[in-house]
Amino acid sequence: MSFEVLLERDELRPVHAGEVLPVDVAQLAELRPSYRFLTWIQSTRGVTVSQDLLGDDRPAELDAFHQGETAWLVGTG
């Protein structure tokens, strides 16, 4: 048994309109699109986010995962 979480959208917005977020744009550019802001905010807390997670930026891997889960759900996998 497992529990898989797939991040569909990764956004970072200020709480107050017009507020500037203190992000390192160069660092963000090096991170995967599906986990860019999550990875950045976690890194400020000393937490490492795996860059091998499934995400929308790797559609072939994500499709294969969904097909496998669907096969399991309908009893063919």
Side-chain angles (χ1 to χ4, degrees):
M1 295 181 69
S2 71
F3 180 75
E4 304 291 337
V5 176
L6 303 177
L7 197 58
E8 294 293 330
R9 183 182 334 187
D10 188 39
E11 289 185 11
L12 184 65
R13 295 178 185 223
V15 173
H16 304 287
E19 186 176 35
V20 177
L21 298 173
V23 298
D24 182 337
V25 176
Q27 183 183 7
L28 289 177
E30 296 175 3
L31 302 172
R32 280 185 58 204
S34 289
Y35 296 91
R36 181 172 291 142
F37 296 111
L38 176 65
T39 299
W40 176 78
I41 195 72
Q42 290 294 70
S43 73
T44 67
R45 299 172 175 156
V47 177
T48 300
V49 175
S50 172
Q51 296 299 290
D52 263 347
L53 300 170
L54 289 171
D56 289 346
D57 60 331
R58 295 184 180 168
E61 293 174 24
L62 192 57
D63 288 344
F65 171 78
H66 282 297
Q67 289 176 12
E69 295 299 292
T70 299
W72 173 84
L73 188 60
V74 298
T76 61

